[in-house]
Amino acid sequence: ARELCVLGLRMTAGIDRLEFQERTGYMVESLAGDAIQKYLANGLLEETPTHLRLTEAGRFVADTVVGDFL
């Protein structure tokens, strides 16, 4: 499930929350809630009602961001 988080964040669309939960049985927040909040606050992640994705600034430091999801 964590690897799917990392792969999803590497995609432009990001992580589809519903699809992630259906495929893994986990909510993405239950696996990486602290990292999500940290990077939302820093402006490196953005969320929509359905997706979680890197911002343009987040793409420049993607390795750091996705590392916290592992």
Side-chain angles (χ1 to χ4, degrees), residues 49-62:
T50 59
H51 287 76
L52 182 68
R53 63 181 167 234
L54 292 169
T55 61
E56 186 174 341
R59 289 187 204 119
F60 288 105
V61 292

Side-chain angles (χ1 to χ4, degrees), residues 17 32-47 52-55 57-58 65 69:
R17 293 171 189 251
D34 292 339
I36 291 169
Q37 292 307 310
K38 173 182 174 181
Y39 292 114
L40 284 172
N42 289 342
L44 300 177
L45 279 179
E46 62 186 3
E47 61 183 338
L52 182 68
R53 63 181 167 234
L54 292 169
T55 61
V65 175
F69 278 70

